[in-house]
Amino acid sequence: MPGVLGRIFSLLLAPLLLCSASDLRNASQKTFEIDYSRDRFLKDGQPFRYISGSIHYSRVPRFYWKDRLLKMKMAGLNAIQTYVPWNFHEPQPGKYQFTEDHDVEYFIQLAHELGLLVILRPGPYICAEWDMGGLPAWLLEKESIVLRSSDPDYLAAVEKWLGVILPKMKPLLYQNGGPIITVQVENEYGSYTTCDPNYMRFLLKRFRYYLGDDVVLFTTDGAQDYFLQRGGLQGLYATVDFGTGANITAAFLTQRKSEPKGPLINSEFYTGWLDHWGEPHSTVKAEDVASTLYDILAHGANVNLYMFMGGTNFAYWNGANTPYAAQPTSYDYDAPLSEAGDLTEKYFVLRKVIQKFKEVPEGPIPPSTPKFAYGKVALKKLKTVEAALDILCPAGPVKSIYPLTFIQVKQYFGFVLYRTTLPQDCSSPTPLSSSRNGVHDRAYVSVDGVPQGILERNGVNTLNIMGKAGATLDLLVENMGRVNYGRFINDSKGLISNLTLNSSILTGWAIFPLDTEDAVHSRLGDWGGLDGSFDGKAHSSSNYTLPAFYVGNFSIFSGIPDLPQDTFIQFPGWTKGQVWINGFNLGRYWPARGPQMTLFVPRHILTTSAPNTVIVLELEHAPCSDNDPKPCAVEFVDRPVISAAVTYNRPSKPGSRSWLGHVW
Ligand SMILES: *[C@@H]1O[C@H](CO)[C@@H](O)[C@H](O)[C@H]1NC(C)=O
Ligand SMILES: *[C@@H]1O[C@H](CO)[C@@H](O)[C@H](O)[C@H]1NC(C)=O
Ligand SMILES: *[C@@H]1O[C@H](CO)[C@@H](O)[C@H](O)[C@H]1NC(C)=O
Ligand SMILES: *[C@@H]1O[C@H](CO)[C@@H](O)[C@H](O)[C@H]1NC(C)=O
Ligand SMILES: *[C@@H]1O[C@H](CO)[C@@H](O)[C@H](O)[C@H]1NC(C)=O
Ligand SMILES: *[C@@H]1O[C@H](CO)[C@@H](O)[C@H](O)[C@H]1NC(C)=O
Ligand SMILES: *[C@@H]1O[C@H](CO)[C@@H](O)[C@H](O)[C@H]1NC(C)=O
C-alpha cells in the first residue's frame, strides 16, 4: 500500500518543509495549476511559463511526427498545442478512427517522451481552416440543427463524442503522469453568432466530469472585449489570441478585464496566416514575428505560436471561408517549420528570441529532409468519370425528382454525379441556372459526353448549354471543403437548390455518390485497363475536357542510397483536380488558380519494391486529349511553389483587414 505510506510520509514532511498548499496533498504528486496571487502557473509548485507551438497531428503524417516534434523542442519550446478534429476521428456516427495517422494518444505520448508538454484543444469545434471547423458533416443530417448551441441533437452527438475522446485523454493529463497541462473548451466562441452560455456550461460540466477538477480548463477569444464577454464563462480561464499587428498592452488589458489575476496568455500568436485559392500566398516577416514574440515574453506572458508547423490539408480536409473561398491543400502558414518540416530563417530567428528568456536545448537540430526531383511521369487516360460509374458507384444511383444534397445520399466528401435528361431541345444556347447560388461548390457540366462548362458557387450561377431533347445532362459536383468559420459552418454540399433550364425546374435525377477512395485504392484492378477510345465528341477548341482519371507510374530502383526521399508534384498544363499516389490522397491541385502550384509528397508513401502509381482526377481541362498524340505528364521537383502570382478576381471578396481581424 504505497499510497497510504506516501500520504503519511507527506503529511509528516509537509509542515517541516513549509511547502505550498498543493504539496500537502501528496509530495510526489504532479500538479499544474494557476497561481492567482502571483499571476502565473505553478508546475509541481514551481513557477512556470510556457512557450508553445501549434502542430496538428492530422496535418502531418505519423511517419514525421517525431522529426517535427524534435525540431520544435530544439527551437526551445517547452510545450506544443494541438487541436483534435472530431470529424477526423468519427467519420461516420459511432465509427471511430484512432490508429495510424489518427492515433492522437500516440502523438501525445511521443511529445511526452521528447519532454514536451501538451496544450490540448479538443473542440468540439476547432475552426483551424479544417473542414467544417472539425465538426462531422453528418451532424447536418438534421437539417435544422443549430451547431455550437444547446440544440438537443447537437448536444447529444457532442456528449457521445466527449465520452469517447476525453476518457482517452484523462490518463495523459499532467496530474496523471502525462504531458497535458491545460485543455481548451470550444474555440473562439465569442466570434460565433449563437452566443449560448448554456452550451458552454454544458461543455464545462462534461469536461469536468471526464477530466476531473484539477486540470486547468480555458477558453480562447480574439483580444477584444466583445469577444471575451461572449466567449468566456465562469470556471473557464479566459485567454486571448492576436498577431504581429496588435497592441500587446491593450490585448493583455483586454484579457485582464476577464481575468484580473492569473497568467497572461496569448493562445494563438500568428507566425503567418492562412491562404485561399486565387489569393496571394500570405506571409508575415520573420523580424516582425520575432519582435512581437520578444515583447510578449518580456510582458511575462505565456505564448503559443500558431502555427509552428502548419503541414498539409491532405485528401479533402481543407476548410473554407465566406463568401465562399476554399483554402488550398498546403497549410504551410509561413510557419517557422515549412509544410515539409524544413527549418526556415524564421525558425532560427525565433529560436534566438526564445534563447533570451529560457534555456534552449544544446545539440544538433534535425536537419531539413533532402528532397528529390524524380522528374516527369507520363500519364494516360484511364477512364472518364462517366465511363467508370460502375466502379465509382457500384450500388447505383439514388433516384429523386428534385436534387438531393451530399448528406441526403450519405456522401460526406469528394464528388457526386447528378444526372438527368434534357426535357427540351436546346439547339441554341439555353441557360442552365442555379438561381439561389445552390451549387456547392463547383459543377462540371456535360451533355451527352460533351463538356459544356462550369457552375461555381459565389461565381457562375448560369451556363448556356446545348443538346437535343432526351440527351443526358451530367453535373459532376465537387465538395471543395466546408466553411470552417462564422455563421455558415452548416455548409451543405451538392445541388442544394433546384436547377432550371430556360427557367423550368429540372426533375428526374439519378444521383451517384462516388466512392473515389475505394476505386483508386482497393479496386484499381477492376478498371479494365486504359480507355483507348477516341473521344471524338470533345471539341479540341473547347476549354474543357470531360472529368477523367489519368494514370502513370514511376520506379525508384532499390539500392540507390537515401531513396526514396520527399518530393513535390507539379501539374504543368493541368487545370484542377485531385491526386493520389499509391492510393494515398495527397489533396487538391489547382494551378490554374494558384497560388499553390506543387503538392508535398512525403517519402513514406513512396516505395522501391514496385512502380509507384500516380492517379490524377482532372476535372476541368487536361493538357492532352485523345486526338492529341502528346502525352500528359506530371513532374516531381525538389522545391515547393506555393506562392505563385495570382490574377484571379473573386467576384465577392472580403477586405483583407477584416480577415485579419477575424471579424466578418
Ligand atoms: C502520490 O502520488 C503518486 C504519484 O503520482 C501516486 O503513485 C500515489 O498513489 C499518490 N499517493 C496518494 C496517497 O495519493
Ligand atoms: C445555418 O445556420 C444559421 C444559424 O443557425 C441559419 O440562420 C441558417 O439558416 C442555416 N443555414 C442552412 C443552410 O441551414
Ligand atoms: C497601446 O495600448 C495602450 C493601452 O490601451 C495605450 O495606452 C497605448 O497608447 C497603445 N499604444 C499604441 C502605440 O497605440
Ligand atoms: C426559353 O423559353 C422561352 C419562353 O418560354 C422560349 O420563347 C424560348 O424559345 C426558350 N428557349 C430555348 C432555347 O428553348
Ligand atoms: C425544388 O422545387 C420543388 C417544386 O417547386 C420544391 O418542392 C422543392 O422544395 C425544391 N427543392 C429544393 C432543394 O429547393
Ligand atoms: C476559352 O476561354 C477563353 C478565355 O477565358 C475564352 O475567351 C474563350 O471564348 C473560351 N473558348 C471556348 C470555346 O469556350
Ligand atoms: C508503368 O508505366 C510504364 C510506362 O508508361 C508502362 O509500360 C508499364 O506498363 C506501367 N506499369 C504498371 C505496373 O502500371
Side-chain angles (χ1 to χ4, degrees), residues 322-602:
T322 48
Y324 192 78
Q327 294 124 16
T329 303
S330 173
Y331 197 62
D332 179 274
Y333 213 83
D334 199 30
L337 292 172
S338 77
E339 177 181 9
D342 290 352
L343 307 166
T344 66
E345 181 212 340
K346 200 175 271 177
Y347 176 93
F348 291 101
V349 170
L350 297 184
R351 190 171 186 261
K352 275 214 185 92
V353 173
I354 294 168
Q355 222 157 11
K356 291 183 183 152
F357 294 89
K358 76 176 268 295
E359 233 173 289
V360 160
E362 303 275 337
I365 300 170
S368 298
T369 57
K371 310 294 185 298
F372 194 80
Y374 299 95
K376 280 199 170 133
V377 175
L379 301 189
K380 290 194 169 142
K381 188 155 121 195
L382 188 56
K383 272 188 167 62
T384 63
V385 168
E386 291 171 342
L389 274 183
D390 53 338
I391 304 161
L392 293 163
C393 183
V398 179
K399 300 279 175 65
S400 172
I401 297 174
Y402 303 111
L404 301 173
T405 64
F406 272 44
I407 294 299
Q408 287 167 327
V409 298
K410 297 229 184 298
Q411 170 94 10
Y412 303 127
F413 293 97
F415 308 89
V416 170
L417 187 122
Y418 292 78
R419 171 171 287 176
T420 186
T421 49
L422 295 185
Q424 62 174 92
D425 244 352
C426 302
S427 44
S428 57
T430 308
L432 173 72
S433 295
S434 172
S435 52
R436 295 166 61 200
N437 197 26
V439 174
H440 288 194
D441 303 299
R442 225 162 179 257
Y444 305 89
V445 183
S446 63
V447 174
D448 270 353
V450 180
Q452 306 288 317
I454 292 168
L455 293 170
E456 184 172 336
R457 178 177 182 181
N458 286 122
V460 183
N461 281 317
T462 297
L463 175 72
N464 285 325
I465 63 168
M466 288 176 74
K468 291 194 181 331
T472 301
L473 169 67
D474 277 348
L475 291 98
L476 179 66
V477 179
E478 178 188 11
N479 165 359
M480 297 209 303
R482 290 185 185 80
V483 171
N484 61 268
Y485 179 86
R487 294 175 55 196
F488 301 111
I489 52 174
N490 48 356
D491 186 11
S492 273
K493 295 303 187 184
L495 298 182
I496 69 155
S497 61
N498 285 309
L499 279 190
T500 58
L501 186 65
N502 199 22
S503 304
S504 316
I505 291 176
L506 286 168
T507 56
W509 293 93
I511 301 161
F512 298 78
L514 305 187
D515 189 350
T516 359
E517 302 321 292
D518 192 46
V520 304
H521 192 240
S522 330
R523 303 190 55 216
L524 207 48
D526 301 347
W527 285 72
L530 297 175
D531 175 1
S533 72
F534 174 70
D535 192 358
K537 290 181 203 150
H539 308 294
S540 54
S541 62
S542 168
N543 286 339
Y544 305 101
T545 51
L546 283 179
F549 291 89
Y550 297 77
V551 65
N553 67 66
F554 66 105
S555 293
I556 305 169
F557 297 105
S558 58
I560 304 173
D562 304 328
L563 288 190
Q565 289 175 354
D566 291 349
T567 184
F568 302 93
I569 182 171
Q570 78 179 16
F571 300 86
W574 299 81
T575 309
K576 183 185 199 311
Q578 199 82 25
V579 60
W580 294 260
I581 295 184
N582 297 332
F584 183 94
N585 189 335
L586 280 173
R588 307 170 207 268
Y589 65 88
W590 200 355
R593 200 158 285 184
Q596 180 177 8
M597 307 302 275
T598 62
L599 266 60
F600 174 53
V601 183

Side-chain angles (χ1 to χ4, degrees), residues 229-249:
Q229 278 154 17
R230 294 161 54 94
L233 187 74
Q234 182 88 44
L236 296 171
Y237 191 76
T239 75
V240 289
D241 55 25
F242 58 85
T244 51
N247 176 335
I248 297 170
T249 313

